[in-house]
Amino acid sequence: MSGNPITFRRQRASEVLDNVFSQGGGTVLVDGLAGMGKTYFLRELAQQARQRELWPVTFLAADRIERGEPYSFIERFLAAGFVSDWDVETESKKQPLSVARACVRHLLNSTSGSEQGHIILIDDAHWIDADSTRVLRHLIPRVNRRNIVFVCSARTPHEPSSIGQFLAQAAAANPQDQHIEIGPLQESEIRALAMDRFGMTISHHNATELQRATGGSFLGVDSIFSQVTPEEVKQLHRTWKFPIRDVEVQNPLLGSFYELDTQAQTVAEIVCLAQHELPREVLLATLEQLGLPNKIYDAIQAGVIRETGFGKSIVPKHELIASAVRSMVNPPFRRKVHRVLSESTDGYRSVWHMFMGAESWNETLAARVEEYVTEATELSHFDHASEILRMGLELAEDSNVRQRLITDLVLISIRAKAGYRCLDLLPEIESFPHGMLREFLALMLRVYIVDDPYPEDRARAVLDARSETPDETALQGYLLFTLIMMMMRSPERRRVLDMIPVAQDFIAKGPQSPEELLDRRFAWMVAPQDFILHLECMELVQWNLAGRQQDIRMALPELMRRVATLPSNGTKIDCLTTLSGLAMAIGQTFRAHDMASQAIDLLDRGVLESWSNATPRIIQAHCCLLFGKYHEAAEALDQFDEINHDSLDLEARLTGAALRAKILTITQQADPQAYIGQAERLWDFDWEHYGRDLAVMAQLEYARAHGNDQAILEITARPEVLNIATTLRGFLTYRAHALIDAGELDAAEDLIEELTRRRGTTWFEHWGSLDWLKARLAQAHGRLDAAQQHYKAALKQQTYPLAWALTNRDYGVFLLEQHDFEKADAVLRQAVTTLEDLDAAAYLASARKQLDTAIEENRQSRNEVLTSMTQREREVAALLADGHSNRSIAQRLVVSQSTARFHVSNILRKLQLNSRAEVAMLFHESLRTRATEESATD
């Protein structure tokens, strides 16, 4: 996710201050359209400057009302009291140059002979009167970088000769001057703001709506956010739509549009109304058909529209501008334009323009809608088909017509697993004549109402009803399948085991081919073998709840083989996701990662109709995290953020936050607390889902990284944590380590015995091996030989690199305690190298500290050995260090080669070295150290 604009502004303000303090002053222009947060930036800069307590800060604001008064702003400037006893006449007859010179003289005198300067912040500089502007244009260059800082905010576009234009030109000519442009908030920035404000992200759709409503105005978004109630904030993770209330926000993007003449405005309106690229010839033909002159160039020059494709097509300059312009167009003219464009386009665009140009429902529209929706649905263009049906509902008033349109829309949405988009239609559906189709539509939409219990009795009544046609049997079969899905997402999921055989039998006896149906709209519900296979996969999920992990191991390979034969459709994605979660449940992380990746590949290729488009990305990110691939895990979560608010698996929003919190804790790239708080809301869901324990794991990682063993013990003792069913119990690994650190060795021993029994079934070594725990426990008990054996065994398990690196760290500390400094050096180097490769900054500092200790102890130990050598051994070592061979040493010392060889071997043994080259390194280092010490003594 892109960065929070508030955080960006804070960082940018800090950079500005660093720059101006290092240069001894400077000028900074902060510009952008109205409402973009320029004033907020100036206030942030002022606050940071005051906190640094280096230079005083003065905040001024120009006033629009005084713009026509000569020197009105300079009078404000003087009244701010930069220098005591300063009284300069600024009557209108005074020449700006003389006033400017007086200002320069007094400002420089106030800072001369002192390192303290002054920061002058000017807000709304575009309202500064003309005479004051001339004064500032003379003054600023003469005090620039002389311990005086001018920071001005101004609205764009800049007027000729304005202070904004002057500072923009200065910054372009001199890279030491700064120009900060603040543009409209992007969708990703609005989502980041929501995360900062509410501790919860919002969907891309909602962010787009906010962007359009405010023109990307920072102040406009903040105004809407301020109206969200505390109760609404609590429910953001369980809702599909963000509450956007009626807020009057003046769109800041229409300034250039208003400056155009009427005919050029009309050209811009046509381009913006199209909402797609307009080939130049189509635009010219449209203008001719409407009897309008060609003012394309004028609208381009004004920055409202632009050329693309080397001038072949015309598009709006920015979608936010287009949205603002569209809102201004007269309705009769708007409809006329769309009718013309419908004739020059085809497919979806033609139908869309036809609707936009229509005033009421008619038979021509009805025929065109039926034709297009059928075509789009066959091509899986569900979004386009749904949009056209929605447009039809805006025009249709006849109840029979509306019923047909709504039925088509809801069926398409159910097929695309996007029924939440039709919840607004539920009251009207309930008013349809009673029948199985009405009940089916209503019950399928109620799947998406999270806060209300699912009406199982009503669903069972539909299932118990006698079907009159193959179509009704197909509806019943799909509803039964959906009912099982809903039971799995409830506290009653254990009943699923009884329901699955019933559903399999019902589906097997129902229609076997879409050709058996009377209504082709239901054809996608008839895939009996696919649904039966999916039910078999779901049955294994219930086995996991019942503790039948060994049965899952036996059944998984055959199910994987059968799923691999499925066509590339939504059922295959759902089966792969289910089996991937099961593979994780039995500790097969590589297999889980592979199946999740297959599901994601299908999703990325545009395969729709999947229930679980978010969970495979969560599983993939989870696996990458365990494998120490934090960058890949973060990328998977970024992709997940793109779609998570459009998925039925609402809990994935929070498991994603938990994984991101853990990554941020380990890498220390940002503060994870907001994500930890968001993940804590997982407890609001009362069903067992994938990663139910991930919020706990994120809290434990944070506590471990900060050395808070007490927090770990408290978290892992909570009843709700101990009662999680779908968990690998990684939290017990953290608890065992914390018990050892806290000196509660009896409790640690009991827990390690429990983990020994659970190993490979209901507890796995993803977060650290059993041997690591046993080594630390033996070390704490003083059983040194046992500790050494367990550490060596633990280091053979390298699948999960963070746990392996921390095992190396602990083993290195153990070796230090045993005074085996050379081995400690090697082991701790391995720990540091691995942590550096992982970018695991949370644990790197402690490992480096232990390594420094090992290096120093090792050096001192070897120096002691050098000192204890005999005179002859030192002579041989010196010759070794100079690169002499055994033969050369024998000749130099007048001894036999065998004697020289004996001395060399003895030296290597004493120094615990493996090669002659290491002797050279150690010998020269020792000489350098002694020379340094002797120099210090002298």
Side-chain angles (χ1 to χ4, degrees):
M1 181 181 292
S2 297
N4 185 337
I6 292 179
T7 303
F8 172 77
R9 284 162 169 75
R10 288 172 182 162
Q11 293 172 343
R12 196 72 181 88
S14 178
E15 293 168 2
V16 166
L17 291 175
D18 290 342
N19 183 276
V20 296
F21 285 142
S22 66
Q23 293 187 79
T27 63
V28 183
L29 171 64
V30 182
D31 65 2
L33 297 167
M36 295 301 150
K38 300 182 293 295
T39 301
Y40 177 93
F41 181 85
L42 260 62
R43 288 174 178 165
E44 176 63 33
L45 194 146
Q47 181 179 351
Q48 290 191 30
R50 288 172 180 137
Q51 289 173 347
R52 297 194 187 195
E53 298 181 343
L54 295 176
W55 293 355
V57 178
T58 299
F59 195 103
L60 299 164
D63 193 327
R64 183 177 187 176
I65 296 175
E66 298 177 352
R67 194 180 188 191
E69 298 292 327
Y71 298 109
S72 58
F73 179 76
I74 288 299
E75 290 174 354
R76 283 176 176 262
F77 188 79
L78 302 182
F82 294 104
V83 183
S84 58
D85 301 326
W86 183 14
D87 184 17
V88 178
E89 293 293 332
T90 59
E91 69 274 5
S92 59
K93 295 181 181 179
K94 196 90 171 178
Q95 289 298 313
L97 184 59
S98 62
V99 175
R101 287 172 174 167
C103 290
V104 170
R105 184 171 60 255
H106 284 83
L107 275 174
L108 294 180
N109 287 341
S110 69
T111 57
S112 64
S114 170
E115 293 186 0
Q116 188 180 61
H118 208 115
I119 298 176
I120 302 167
L121 306 177
I122 302 175
D123 195 17
D124 290 335
H126 48 277
W127 299 134
I128 296 177
D129 63 274
D131 290 303
S132 297
T133 297
R134 285 192 284 273
V135 171
L136 292 173
R137 287 169 64 99
H138 179 88
L139 181 154
I140 289 173
R142 287 158 179 79
V143 300
N144 196 12
R145 274 175 288 282
R146 298 179 72 174
N147 286 358
I148 294 175
V149 181
F150 275 94
V151 183
C152 299
S153 78
R155 188 177 299 175
T156 53
H158 300 299
E159 295 181 1
S161 301
S162 66
I163 195 67
Q165 184 191 62
F166 171 72
L167 292 177
Q169 292 171 345
N174 188 346
Q176 290 182 312
D177 291 324
Q178 301 179 68
H179 182 183
I180 300 170
E181 300 175 72
I182 301 182
L185 293 178
Q186 300 301 308
E187 173 192 299
S188 56
E189 293 176 310
I190 293 174
R191 297 184 72 221
L193 274 177
M195 181 65 187
D196 181 77
R197 186 74 166 262
F198 308 122
M200 186 70 209
T201 58
I202 61 175
S203 71
H204 286 276
H205 174 74
N206 287 326
T208 299
E209 288 298 311
L210 281 164
Q211 188 188 44
R212 288 175 178 171
T214 62
S217 164
F218 182 88
L219 300 182
V221 172
D222 182 71
S223 175
I224 292 175
F225 281 179
S226 298
Q227 296 191 55
V228 180
T229 67
E231 187 58 35
E232 288 170 335
V233 171
K234 292 179 183 178
Q235 296 300 317
L236 283 178
H237 62 297
R238 302 168 67 96
T239 59
W240 310 100
K241 188 170 180 61
F242 185 84
I244 302 177
R245 296 183 173 82
D246 293 333
V247 177
E248 289 295 330
V249 180
Q250 185 176 0
N251 198 303
L253 303 171
L254 290 172
S256 299
F257 175 78
Y258 287 134
E259 293 176 1
L260 292 170
D261 62 35
T262 303
Q263 294 173 333
Q265 285 182 357
T266 303
V267 172
E269 289 171 352
I270 294 170
V271 174
C272 294
L273 285 170
Q275 297 194 46
H276 56 79
E277 283 191 9
L278 271 183
R280 184 181 288 271
E281 62 271 17
V282 172
L283 177 55
L284 290 171
T286 302
L287 291 171
E288 183 178 354
Q289 194 167 344
L290 294 172
L292 297 170
N294 178 2
K295 287 294 189 79
I296 297 174
Y297 177 79
D298 295 30
I300 291 174
Q301 287 297 107
V304 181
I305 62 176
R306 63 183 176 87
E307 295 176 323
T308 186
F310 301 101
K312 293 181 179 179
S313 297
I314 309 296
V315 295
K317 179 75 172 181
H318 193 286
E319 174 51 32
L320 290 177
I321 294 177
S323 177
V325 170
R326 287 195 294 270
S327 67
M328 306 292 294
V329 181
N330 179 273
F333 179 71
R334 181 175 65 237
R335 288 192 291 270
K336 187 175 182 180
V337 169
H338 283 298
R339 286 195 293 270
V340 172
L341 290 175
S342 71
E343 297 172 2
S344 57
T345 52
D346 54 22
Y348 163 75
R349 289 176 177 174
S350 177
V351 181
W352 185 83
H353 283 303
M354 184 182 295
F355 266 109
M356 294 298 291
E359 296 186 57
S360 61
W361 183 260
N362 56 58
E363 291 301 320
T364 302
L365 278 177
R368 190 70 182 93
V369 167
E370 183 173 358
E371 177 189 2
Y372 176 75
V373 169
T374 301
E375 175 187 331
T377 305
E378 289 177 353
L379 295 172
S380 297
H381 296 167
F382 301 133
D383 284 346
H384 283 171
S386 297
E387 185 176 0
I388 293 302
L389 289 167
R390 279 283 183 181
M391 297 176 80
L393 286 172
E394 291 179 8
L395 294 177
E397 297 179 354
D398 180 81
S399 59
N400 292 327
V401 173
R402 290 187 63 81
Q403 183 173 333
R404 172 71 187 201
L405 292 172
I406 289 173
T407 300
D408 286 350
L409 176 59
V410 176
L411 285 171
I412 289 171
S413 298
I414 292 171
R415 181 178 177 183
K417 306 303 184 290
Y420 61 89
R421 297 177 182 173
C422 298
L423 288 176
D424 61 308
L425 300 174
L426 186 54
E428 192 167 353
I429 291 171
E430 296 286 14
S431 70
F432 289 177
H434 187 275
M436 189 171 289
L437 181 55
R438 184 201 75 171
E439 289 297 283
F440 176 82
L441 298 176
L443 287 166
M444 290 303 298
L445 288 187
R446 290 190 180 277
V447 166
Y448 296 91
I449 303 178
V450 182
D451 293 328
D452 293 346
Y454 189 72
E456 287 187 24
D457 292 342
R458 184 176 176 183
R460 290 182 185 279
V462 174
L463 296 174
D464 292 340
R466 181 177 178 179
S467 59
E468 302 293 337
T469 64
D471 300 57
E472 291 188 345
T473 305
L475 293 176
Q476 287 176 309
Y478 194 80
L479 182 60
L480 178 56
F481 177 83
T482 304
L483 180 59
I484 291 174
M485 294 281 293
M486 294 310 300
M487 290 171 64
M488 291 184 68
R489 300 172 64 80
S490 75
E492 307 298 324
R493 64 185 296 172
R494 294 185 183 275
R495 292 185 295 155
V496 171
L497 273 176
D498 299 327
M499 293 288 295
I500 286 177
V502 175
Q504 289 173 324
D505 183 64
F506 188 98
I507 293 171
K509 293 177 179 178
Q512 299 300 297
S513 169
E515 280 69 28
E516 298 178 37
L517 302 180
L518 303 175
D519 192 333
R520 296 292 296 173
R521 293 179 298 174
F522 309 147
W524 58 274
M525 300 183 200
V526 180
Q529 297 309 311
D530 291 6
F531 288 132
I532 289 172
L533 179 55
H534 192 183
L535 287 168
E536 289 184 49
C537 294
M538 290 193 286
E539 186 175 17
L540 266 63
V541 175
Q542 307 312 304
W543 291 4
N544 184 47
L545 284 174
R548 297 171 56 183
Q549 282 76 27
Q550 189 57 37
D551 291 337
I552 295 173
R553 290 178 187 276
M554 298 294 291
L556 191 60
E558 174 59 18
L559 278 177
M560 290 175 60
R561 184 194 65 78
R562 290 169 60 193
V563 169
T565 65
L566 288 173
S568 298
N569 57 22
T571 301
K572 186 169 187 175
I573 293 172
D574 291 329
C575 289
L576 284 169
T577 302
T578 302
L579 295 183
S580 178
L582 287 166
M584 285 293 285
I586 59 175
Q588 298 179 359
T589 49
F590 288 98
R591 177 174 277 178
H593 180 269
D594 288 345
M595 287 190 286
S597 298
Q598 291 176 46
I600 293 168
D601 180 61
L602 290 174
L603 287 165
D604 289 345
R605 281 158 48 191
V607 177
L608 303 174
E609 307 175 47
S610 165
W611 287 99
S612 50
N613 62 341
T615 300
R617 300 183 192 275
I618 290 295
I619 296 174
Q620 185 189 56
H622 191 187
C623 291
C624 288
L625 189 152
L626 291 173
F627 299 152
K629 299 177 180 179
Y630 303 132
H631 179 69
E632 289 183 26
E635 284 187 341
L637 291 174
D638 288 341
Q639 295 171 3
F640 160 79
D641 281 340
E642 297 293 320
I643 53 88
N644 72 64
H645 285 269
D646 296 328
S647 173
L648 178 63
D649 33 3
L650 297 177
E651 70 283 353
R653 304 177 185 180
L654 306 181
T655 51
L659 290 172
R660 200 177 287 278
K662 191 158 187 175
I663 294 169
L664 293 177
T665 296
I666 294 169
T667 61
Q668 292 190 339
Q669 293 175 342
D671 188 350
Q673 286 288 16
Y675 290 103
I676 290 175
Q678 182 178 345
E680 183 69 18
R681 301 186 190 186
L682 272 170
W683 300 110
D684 291 352
F685 297 101
D686 56 3
W687 63 79
E688 293 284 337
H689 52 79
Y690 181 84
R692 185 156 178 79
D693 61 352
L694 287 178
V696 175
M697 299 301 289
Q699 292 175 321
L700 293 175
E701 194 68 56
Y702 187 83
R704 180 173 73 172
H706 289 80
N708 193 343
D709 295 321
Q710 188 58 40
I712 293 174
L713 296 177
E714 290 175 0
I715 293 168
T716 54
R718 295 174 187 167
E720 64 269 24
V721 174
L722 299 175
N723 291 330
I724 300 175
T726 53
T727 174
L728 303 182
R729 294 178 177 81
F731 54 83
L732 294 180
T733 306
Y734 288 78
R735 181 172 181 82
H737 281 291
L739 287 170
I740 295 170
D741 290 333
E744 299 182 29
L745 302 185
D746 290 342
E749 191 158 7
D750 290 342
L751 180 53
I752 291 172
E753 288 179 5
E754 178 187 343
L755 296 181
T756 303
R757 294 191 298 272
R758 290 183 177 274
R759 183 185 187 187
T761 55
T762 56
W763 174 79
F764 299 91
E765 297 173 284
H766 306 339
W767 305 273
S769 68
L770 191 62
D771 277 307
W772 181 20
L773 288 169
K774 288 182 176 180
R776 295 200 64 216
L777 183 63
Q779 181 180 353
H781 278 303
R783 300 194 294 267
L784 304 183
D785 288 343
Q788 179 109 351
Q789 290 175 1
H790 284 303
Y791 272 125
K792 289 180 178 179
L795 291 179
K796 294 178 181 178
Q797 304 179 49
Q798 301 184 28
T799 304
Y800 305 105
L802 178 61
W804 187 74
L806 296 181
T807 304
N808 273 284
R809 181 198 63 184
D810 288 349
Y811 185 31
V813 173
F814 170 80
L815 292 170
L816 281 175
E817 292 174 355
Q818 308 313 307
H819 300 285
D820 191 346
F821 303 127
E822 182 180 15
K823 199 165 188 178
D825 183 326
V827 170
L828 287 167
R829 282 183 191 278
Q830 186 63 68
V832 168
T833 299
T834 304
L835 291 170
E836 287 175 341
D837 291 343
L838 293 174
D839 196 21
Y843 304 104
L844 193 53
S846 64
R848 282 174 173 162
K849 183 177 179 181
Q850 296 295 344
L851 175 59
D852 289 343
T853 300
I855 291 171
E856 179 59 24
E857 293 287 357
N858 203 21
R859 186 186 64 78
Q860 291 182 9
S861 175
R862 287 176 174 174
N863 283 341
E864 290 173 3
V865 173
L866 283 173
T867 305
S868 66
M869 283 181 179
T870 65
Q871 179 62 32
R872 175 63 76 185
E873 287 172 338
R874 283 197 291 272
E875 290 173 352
V876 173
L879 291 170
L880 268 177
D882 289 337
H884 288 276
S885 65
N886 289 350
R887 182 177 179 180
S888 176
I889 292 172
Q891 291 175 346
R892 294 268 183 147
L893 298 180
V894 194
V895 296
S896 67
Q897 284 193 48
S898 60
T899 300
R901 190 181 306 112
F902 170 78
H903 284 310
V904 169
S905 299
N906 207 31
I907 290 168
L908 292 174
R909 178 183 58 79
K910 282 187 175 183
L911 295 176
Q912 296 181 334
L913 300 176
N914 297 315
S915 68
R916 305 163 74 95
E918 290 179 275
V919 175
M921 292 174 61
L922 178 63
F923 198 83
H924 289 308
E925 180 185 347
S926 176
L927 290 176
R928 285 195 301 271
T929 303
R930 289 185 182 180
T932 302
E933 292 173 351
E934 290 171 2
S935 175
T937 303
D938 294 342

